[in-house]
Amino acid sequence: MKTIGHFIDGKRVAGKSDRTKDIFNPNTGEVQAKVSMATPSELDAAVKTAAEAQVKWAATNPQKRSRILFKFKELVEAEMDELASMLSSEHGKVIADSRGDVIRGVDVIEFACGVPHGQKGEHTYGAGPEIDVYSMRKPLGVVAGITPFNFPAMIPMWMFGMAISTGNAFILKPSEKDPSVPMRLAELFIEAGGPVGLLQCINGDKEIVDAICDNETIQAVSFVGSSDIAQYVYARATANGKRAQCMGGAKNHGILMPDANMEQAVKDILGAAYGSAGERCMALPVVVPVGEGTAEKFLEHMLPAIEAMKVGVSEDAEANYGPVVTAAHRDSIEADITKAVEEGATLLVDGRNFKLQGYEDGFFIGPSLLDNVTPDMETYKDEIFGPVLQIVRADTFEEALKLPSEHQYGNGVAIFTQNGRAAREFADRVEVGMVGINVPIPVPVAYHSFGGWKRSAFGDANQYGMEGLRFYTKVKTVTQRWPEPEVNDDNAFVIPTF
């Protein structure tokens, strides 16, 4: 049985702890490897070498740092098929989706290659008599990222791409459910010419999360996961004087207007609700048809579309989605479906107890569709994070707008319409951080930034883009003058004015 350790000082090392966790193959249900749970002392040792590497890296000119990231991007792209296969084998998503996971991470690396331009400061010549003022953006030092199981390539690259490009060292704590891709990314960074110790990968659980939040050398923490843990990490990290950006859960709505292109909308919603087995924080698990006629028309198109879907193993090119990540997660999703029925929802398609022939022990669950869901139901309020689509019917545009605006989560939302005025008003008024107009999964491109509102995000800085650059740097402002040799007779006890 293979045991995965950590990536420290530029190489893979065995863990020193006897504690391990199982890594499953979600397609078969078998344990395919174990991963070592690091101790706080192992983290401290990694942070120490990271701090040493960071000093020299911060002094390296930005153009050289960018060239290493360009090479890293090239290596990741060359190894795309291997990375996607490795990702699918531990996560369960189909290969095409795993490739998308890697590609969206590479997009941010590509943006980070141009950070030297964004990191430039400001300059004012002659702000006062013979006085110039200029600013510079300095790296924080050693920073850390805690990433979730559902995007083991994309989200680590979102974080360490921006952190490293701005001159920081990075400690990555990936999910213990699928750590192989993050470990390989750390290796590829070394192969690209990155300094030893600058990017380190420490596997662990809550003990290491707490150690990261408490470590005095680590200056900032980036987190993506559930809202409860995001709030916990944010509170603990900031209590220790660190910067923190902590992204939480979601319950994204798709508002379906009567004038929507129904065939296109159904296709988009189908993929957004069930793709990656619903294990996306930007999935679309709630559809809100406006008007009874719209709801009935939607069902007329959606039911046969669900019937035609194929659930299969990760490497089945014809499968729409694969298994969920663990048996425990599958059981949790099925329990939520049962609870929704008990709360009064109408179960139109039941994905429970799904078995794939030849893979009966895999963590598969069929697509489910729940109608007549209401805002007072707990299964509407909470995130299910599986291949379950809920229909909440609305009579008017105002009623539909109110649903995502008043929900505890505010990550993403979409509206499907051909009315530009309605779309513009919706985008302006909805209380959600990321909005799609006829776009079901509105994840911003790399040169914008990713971030939700309300319980979907804790902290005031978004991921990647210029927001990410600002998060991983601090501003230093210099006011200088070069006076003539004669003595200045100004009163030095009075605050200077220009």
Side-chain angles (χ1 to χ4, degrees):
M1 179 67 66
K2 178 178 69 172
T3 299
I4 296 173
H6 317 290
F7 190 83
I8 300 175
D9 290 344
K11 60 184 181 297
R12 291 178 182 255
V13 298
K16 297 179 180 179
S17 170
D18 292 333
R19 288 198 311 122
T20 62
K21 289 198 175 182
D22 293 337
I23 301 172
F24 293 93
N25 179 337
N27 295 286
T28 64
E30 298 173 327
V31 176
Q32 60 175 306
K34 293 183 179 294
V35 59
S36 179
M37 299 291 100
T39 63
S41 62
E42 288 175 289
L43 172 71
D44 291 343
V47 170
K48 182 179 179 181
T49 58
E52 293 169 356
Q54 189 272 332
V55 174
K56 186 175 180 180
W57 180 248
T60 301
N61 72 71
Q63 189 175 21
K64 186 173 182 180
R65 297 203 299 257
S66 287
R67 286 173 178 164
I68 291 173
L69 284 174
F70 267 120
K71 181 62 177 178
F72 172 74
K73 172 181 175 291
E74 179 183 312
L75 293 175
V76 171
E77 290 172 333
E79 205 166 296
M80 182 71 67
D81 291 341
E82 292 86 347
L83 290 168
S85 179
M86 187 187 302
L87 196 160
S88 290
S89 72
E90 292 182 350
H91 176 278
K93 64 176 73 176
V94 295
I95 295 291
D97 204 25
S98 291
R99 286 177 62 88
D101 187 331
V102 178
I103 290 168
R104 289 307 296 262
V106 169
D107 287 347
V108 172
I109 298 297
E110 190 172 62
F111 173 80
C113 291
V115 157
H117 175 72
Q119 202 171 352
K120 292 186 302 186
E122 299 173 320
H123 187 278
T124 299
Y125 179 82
E130 300 181 338
I131 293 175
D132 304 326
V133 179
Y134 65 92
S135 64
M136 60 186 84
R137 286 199 164 270
K138 306 289 287 183
L140 302 180
V142 180
V143 298
I146 302 165
T147 58
F149 75 85
N150 59 327
F151 285 99
M154 180 182 79
I155 294 178
M157 284 192 275
W158 279 8
M159 294 180 185
F160 72 66
M162 296 305 304
I164 287 173
S165 67
T166 49
N168 299 282
F170 195 86
I171 304 293
L172 173 62
K173 203 300 283 183
S175 170
E176 62 274 22
K177 294 180 175 68
D178 45 12
S180 291
V181 168
M183 292 281 286
R184 181 60 184 146
L185 292 175
E187 283 182 323
L188 289 175
F189 180 71
I190 296 297
E191 291 179 26
V196 170
L198 197 76
L199 174 59
Q200 311 210 45
C201 189
I202 308 295
N203 290 303
D205 52 12
K206 183 180 181 297
E207 184 177 16
I208 288 303
V209 171
D210 289 346
I212 286 171
C213 292
D214 297 342
N215 186 281
E216 293 182 358
T217 302
I218 294 173
Q219 299 298 303
V221 177
S222 184
F223 172 89
V224 176
S226 69
S227 288
D228 287 344
I229 300 177
Q231 187 171 15
Y232 170 82
V233 171
Y234 180 78
R236 187 157 183 157
T238 54
N240 285 308
K242 304 183 194 310
R243 288 188 182 181
Q245 51 173 194
C246 299
M247 307 300 166
K251 194 78 171 185
N252 307 320
H253 294 59
I255 311 304
L256 189 61
M257 298 295 290
D259 67 340
N261 180 331
M262 189 60 71
E263 289 186 4
Q264 184 64 51
V266 166
K267 180 181 177 181
D268 289 343
I269 293 167
L270 191 76
Y274 299 113
S276 196
E279 295 172 314
R280 296 170 175 158
C281 67
M282 288 298 284
L284 201 65
V286 179
V287 62
V288 184
V290 178
E292 285 301 311
T294 307
E296 296 310 314
K297 188 177 179 183
F298 172 72
L299 286 174
E300 181 184 332
H301 287 75
M302 179 58 80
L303 287 170
I306 293 175
E307 182 69 24
M309 287 176 60
K310 181 179 181 182
V311 180
V313 295
S314 300
E315 297 196 354
D316 183 350
E318 296 181 357
N320 296 111
Y321 70 85
V324 297
V325 69
T326 63
H329 188 49
R330 177 199 59 202
D331 294 345
S332 174
I333 296 165
E334 291 188 346
D336 281 334
I337 296 169
T338 301
K339 184 177 181 180
V341 174
E342 293 170 350
E343 290 181 309
T346 304
L347 184 59
L348 299 179
V349 181
D350 188 355
R352 294 172 296 179
N353 303 312
F354 180 93
K355 297 293 182 182
L356 187 66
Q357 187 175 0
Y359 297 88
E360 287 80 6
D361 294 329
F363 309 141
F364 294 94
I365 181 169
S368 294
L369 180 64
L370 291 157
D371 196 5
N372 300 310
V373 175
T374 57
D376 61 318
M377 295 179 180
E378 291 301 317
T379 50
Y380 166 77
K381 296 176 184 177
D382 295 329
E383 188 174 32
I384 295 176
F385 217 61
V388 182
L389 178 61
Q390 297 174 297
I391 300 173
V392 182
R393 301 187 180 216
D395 293 328
T396 65
F397 172 82
E398 289 295 329
E399 185 181 342
L401 174 67
K402 186 178 179 181
L403 288 166
S405 295
E406 294 187 353
H407 201 279
Q408 64 167 327
Y409 298 119
N411 210 42
V413 69
I415 184 170
F416 300 91
T417 182
Q418 297 184 72
N419 186 319
R421 183 179 182 86
R424 186 174 188 272
E425 181 179 356
F426 180 83
D428 179 56
R429 293 175 57 194
V430 71
E431 293 293 312
V432 173
M434 291 172 283
V435 181
I437 298 173
N438 297 315
V439 174
I441 304 178
V443 178
V445 293
Y447 42 90
H448 284 266
S449 63
F450 179 102
W453 291 3
K454 296 176 283 190
R455 280 186 55 77
S456 291
F458 299 87
D460 57 1
N462 288 348
Q463 298 273 355
Y464 65 77
M466 292 304 293
E467 285 273 301
L469 184 149
R470 285 187 280 269
F471 177 76
Y472 289 115
T473 58
K474 52 190 175 184
V475 176
K476 178 181 288 186
T477 306
V478 179
T479 303
Q480 68 175 13
R481 67 173 179 175
W482 304 101
E484 295 294 333
E486 64 266 16
V487 176
N488 189 321
D489 60 359
D490 290 342
N491 187 343
F493 290 91
V494 176
I495 189 169
T497 59
F498 296 159

